[in-house]
């Protein structure tokens, strides 16, 4: 797989991203039950989809994982809110204001000192103290529903069209993206293609590039399927069939092109082994 192959797939992926963005513009201009806060989450998905395409074009596989996690989790949150008839939006709103309350004062403490940020509405202060001057609550999850239960609730309302794509996205993205974001050795070995029993002596620049291209392709497909699920649900809620069909068409094109590229790669390997 070459950079030209990836760029071709990204061009197809961008068709879906464009459709999704147009759908958001359409929702904004209509009188729907989508409130302002939920609409901002819809925009967040669009923004990160664009970021994923940019990173993919530059073969930045590690960062593609992290951005994919952002898209997956935001899509999951939106779908949970829709699946619970906006009950979870109340949880999201409460969590948001709890976080805003703590925004003005933050601190971190070692055995020797505390470092803190403070904002009084006008001036920002960075300070150092022997003892922690603030009582900071530990962050909590925004919802009482664990991820598995979120997907289960989504499945009950919208069926396997959505729940299967979310489950696949979770297995594909969640664990590896955590390792990359947390700066572990596993995250870097993944980027170098040194997993599944491979060792450093097997590493080459070309093998790493090939590995990264294949992973980026998988991430683009997985995210496209997840966001299609979001588009599918919004069509069910708001009657957006035009956008749902357009997104599905680009998803089919991506899958067919990806299969063709993988088929060609398989033939290349056979020719090499002759």
């Amino acid at each position: 797989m070459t950079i030209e192959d990836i760029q071709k797939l990204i061009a197809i992926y961008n068709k879906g991203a464009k459709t999704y963005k147009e759908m958001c513009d359409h929702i904004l201009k209509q009188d729907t039950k989508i409130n302002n806060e939920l609409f901002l989450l819809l925009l967040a998905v669009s923004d990160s989809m664009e970021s994923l395409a940019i990173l993919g074009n530059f073969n930045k596989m590690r960062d593609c994982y992290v951005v994919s996690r952002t898209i997956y989790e935001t899509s999951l949150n939106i779908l949970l809110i829709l699946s619970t008839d906006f009950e979870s939006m109340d949880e999201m709103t409460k969590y948001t204001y709890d976080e805003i309350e703590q925004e003005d004062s933050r601190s971190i403490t070692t055995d020797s000192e505390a470092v803190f940020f403070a904002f009084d509405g006008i001036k920002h202060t960075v300070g150092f103290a022997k003892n922690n001057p603030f009582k900071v609550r530990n962050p909590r999850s925004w919802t009482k529903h664990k991820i598995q239960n979120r997907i289960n609730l989504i499945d009950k309302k919208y069926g396997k069209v959505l729940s299967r794509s979310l489950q696949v996205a979770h297995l594909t993205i969640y664990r590896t993206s955590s390792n990359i974001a947390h700066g572990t050795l596993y995250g870097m070995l993944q980027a170098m293609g040194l997993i599944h029993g491979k060792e450093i002596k097997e590493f080459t620049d070309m093998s790493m590039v090939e590995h990264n291209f294949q992973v980026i392709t998988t991430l683009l497909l997985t995210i496209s399927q997840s966001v299609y699920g979001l588009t599918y649900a919004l069509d069910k809620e708001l009657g957006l069939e035009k956008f749902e069909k357009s997104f599905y068409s680009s998803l089919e094109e991506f899958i067919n092109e990806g299969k063709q590229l993988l088929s060609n790669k398989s033939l290349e390997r056979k020719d090499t082994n002759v």
Side-chain angles (χ1 to χ4, degrees):
M1 189 173 287
T2 66
I3 187 61
E4 288 78 16
D5 295 331
I6 287 292
Q7 288 172 342
K8 188 172 185 179
L9 288 173
I10 290 173
I12 299 171
Y13 163 89
N14 279 335
K15 292 181 183 179
K18 182 174 181 289
T19 295
Y20 178 83
K21 188 172 184 178
E22 289 172 350
M23 181 187 69
C24 289
D25 291 340
H26 175 81
I27 292 172
L28 180 63
K29 296 171 185 175
Q30 306 302 310
D31 181 17
T32 72
K33 63 181 179 181
I34 300 294
N35 61 27
N36 292 337
E37 288 79 10
L38 186 57
F39 183 76
L40 291 178
L41 295 182
L42 294 176
L43 287 184
V45 171
S46 179
D47 185 49
S48 293
M49 287 186 77
E50 292 178 1
S51 298
L52 181 59
I54 293 168
L55 291 167
N57 266 315
F58 286 95
N59 195 24
K60 300 298 184 181
M61 183 270 274
R62 293 174 67 255
D63 295 322
C64 282
Y65 256 115
V66 178
V67 174
S68 294
R69 169 82 172 260
T70 302
I71 299 169
Y72 160 66
E73 290 217 49
T74 308
S75 299
L76 182 65
N77 291 345
I78 295 168
L79 287 167
L80 176 64
I81 290 167
L82 293 174
S83 296
T84 59
D85 294 325
F86 285 76
E87 177 185 321
S88 292
M89 192 74 239
D90 295 335
E91 286 187 285
M92 177 71 82
T93 302
K94 184 179 185 308
Y95 169 83
T96 300
Y97 285 106
D98 285 347
E99 287 294 292
I100 290 172
E101 278 185 16
Q102 297 189 73
E103 186 70 23
D104 294 344
S105 55
R106 298 186 179 191
S107 62
I108 184 169
T109 305
T110 64
D111 289 341
S112 61
E113 68 176 350
V115 180
F116 61 89
F117 291 163
F119 178 60
D120 62 7
I122 300 174
K123 182 176 65 176
H124 288 275
T125 301
V126 180
F128 304 87
K130 186 174 181 179
N131 298 308
N132 193 340
F134 301 124
K135 183 179 180 181
V136 180
R137 298 192 302 272
N138 291 326
R140 60 176 181 80
S141 174
W142 74 270
T143 177
K144 63 181 177 290
H145 298 294
K146 301 297 184 184
I147 285 182
Q148 184 172 338
N149 192 34
R150 293 181 215 178
I151 297 175
N152 190 48
L153 289 169
I154 293 165
D155 177 71
K156 286 181 178 179
K157 182 161 187 181
Y158 298 111
K160 289 182 172 51
V161 171
L162 270 70
S163 61
R164 282 182 174 174
S165 65
L166 293 171
Q167 287 171 291
V168 169
H170 187 84
L171 294 174
T172 303
I173 296 167
Y174 204 86
R175 186 172 180 178
T176 301
S177 65
S178 291
N179 273 281
I180 291 171
H182 293 151
T184 68
L185 176 60
Y186 171 82
M188 195 56 197
L189 291 178
Q190 171 69 255
M192 297 171 71
L194 298 177
I195 55 172
H196 304 308
K198 294 182 180 179
E199 300 178 2
I200 192 68
K201 62 184 178 182
E202 300 174 70
F203 172 79
T204 66
D205 290 347
M206 290 304 298
S207 67
M208 182 183 74
V209 170
E210 175 68 18
H211 168 74
N212 285 2
F213 283 161
Q214 290 179 2
V215 172
I216 289 169
T217 299
T218 301
L219 292 173
L220 290 169
L221 173 59
T222 304
I223 288 303
S224 293
Q225 290 174 322
S226 295
V227 178
Y228 167 70
L230 179 54
T231 306
Y232 176 90
L234 289 167
D235 172 38
K236 295 297 181 187
E237 296 292 335
L238 305 176
L240 303 172
E241 185 178 10
K242 177 181 73 171
F243 300 103
E244 183 270 331
K245 285 186 174 180
S246 178
F247 199 112
Y248 187 77
S249 176
S250 64
L251 177 58
E252 275 193 318
E253 184 181 357
F254 188 104
I255 292 170
N256 291 333
E257 182 64 27
K259 284 180 178 178
Q260 184 62 44
L261 288 174
L262 291 174
S263 176
N264 292 342
K265 189 64 183 175
S266 178
L267 289 174
E268 287 175 14
R269 290 196 187 100
K270 288 180 180 179
D271 291 341
T272 303
N273 294 331
V274 171

